[in-house]
Amino acid sequence: KNQVEQSPQSLIILEGKNCTLQCNYTVSPFSNLRWYKQDTGRGPVSLTIMTFSENTKSNGRYTATLDADTKQSSLHITASQLSDSASYICVVSDRGSTLGRLYFGRGTQLTVWP
Amino acid sequence: EADIYQTPRYLVIGTGKKITLECSQTMGHDKMYWYQQDPGMELHLIHYSYGVNSTEKGDLSSESTVSRIRTEHFPLTLESARPSHTSQYLCASSEKGQGNTIYFGEGSWLTVV
């Protein structure tokens, strides 16, 4: 069964600290993996997209890694800011159909305290 | 910045009413999607479209319907709203092909009382 599991479910850190969010998936055949940031009550915003051949991608203070062999990904946030408080969603796409079906994780709820 | 817009943002309606959630994008994207998301839960695909006059049902069974008469417009309609339809509805769009960024609207929060 194709699934995307994220951990931790929630995380609280102090402003300025770093953190790492995890994503494990069983989706096959794999096409790409995306990380989205979703502020409360808003739509998700894309952070990174990685294909099979990419093992790291950065977007400012966000760095995503991908290990396609172990089917794991992580999102590292450096020097956290209050505005980083949001839900971070891991999304994996398969290549078994024209649509490229997307499998969504439930997200990690990050809270940054001053 | 994503140019995809949803209206209304928030809506409270009575059971049995008909409601249409509007979604428009100005990026010229062929693919458009509707997702349903309950608080703290994952997004579920309820409808999608490859282009004009193309609509398909998604993974989550839904009593809603959609239409795609124009490239930029993808409205979702509930003919008779029920409390079980209370949820957040997210519209999205992307270019053709896999691996392209999917842009989401801000969402429409629907409460049926």
Side-chain angles (χ1 to χ4, degrees):
Chain A
K1 182 179 177 183
N2 290 321
Q3 285 184 313
V4 177
E5 301 286 345
Q6 293 188 243
S7 62
Q9 184 176 347
S10 62
L11 180 64
I12 300 174
I13 62 173
L14 294 177
E15 187 179 13
K17 297 296 185 182
N18 303 335
C19 68
T20 300
L21 314 180
Q22 301 291 344
C23 174
N24 296 335
Y25 63 92
T26 59
V27 177
S28 181
F30 174 84
S31 177
N32 57 73
L33 185 145
R34 310 159 192 252
W35 282 95
Y36 278 86
K37 177 187 179 188
Q38 185 176 24
D39 292 321
T40 301
R42 309 291 289 273
V45 175
S46 179
L47 294 175
T48 62
I49 301 176
M50 288 184 292
T51 60
F52 185 88
S53 59
E54 298 173 295
N55 55 25
T56 186
K57 183 164 280 189
S58 293
N59 179 358
R61 294 179 297 102
Y62 302 102
T63 299
T65 65
L66 173 65
D67 186 334
D69 291 329
T70 62
K71 298 187 177 181
Q72 296 179 326
S73 176
S74 65
L75 180 69
H76 186 75
I77 304 175
T78 304
S80 61
Q81 300 176 359
L82 299 179
S83 58
D84 292 332
S85 295
S87 178
Y88 291 85
I89 302 172
C90 177
V91 186
V92 182
S93 176
D94 71 12
R95 51 182 170 85
S97 66
T98 303
L99 179 64
R101 193 192 184 289
L102 298 178
Y103 296 86
F104 289 82
R106 292 189 175 185
T108 291
Q109 183 64 48
L110 175 66
T111 303
V112 181
W113 283 2
Chain B
E1 191 75 19
D3 293 321
I4 180 165
Y5 308 99
Q6 290 186 237
T7 58
R9 287 292 319 280
Y10 304 94
L11 182 65
V12 180
I13 61 171
T15 297
K17 298 294 185 183
K18 178 180 178 179
I19 176 66
T20 296
L21 304 180
E22 302 287 350
C23 176
S24 294
Q25 50 95 6
T26 58
M27 297 174 281
H29 289 167
D30 287 310
K31 287 186 177 179
M32 294 191 74
Y33 319 79
W34 276 104
Y35 289 90
Q36 185 173 343
Q37 183 184 29
D38 293 322
M41 302 297 287
E42 64 267 48
L43 280 71
H44 292 284
L45 181 68
I46 51 176
H47 296 284
Y48 61 95
S49 167
Y50 288 123
V52 172
N53 294 325
S54 154
T55 61
E56 302 286 345
K57 286 188 179 294
D59 308 311
L60 184 66
S61 175
S62 174
E63 294 164 345
S64 58
T65 58
V66 292
S67 63
R68 191 86 183 276
I69 299 173
R70 305 200 313 267
T71 298
E72 63 271 20
H73 196 214
F74 192 42
L76 180 145
T77 298
L78 277 167
E79 290 293 333
S80 180
R82 295 207 303 268
S84 61
H85 295 139
T86 295
S87 188
Q88 181 185 28
Y89 294 84
L90 288 160
C91 181
S93 72
S94 69
E95 293 180 358
K96 278 183 182 177
Q98 297 188 23
N100 292 309
T101 299
I102 297 176
Y103 296 92
F104 286 86
E106 296 285 19
S108 292
W109 286 93
L110 175 65
T111 301
V112 183
V113 297

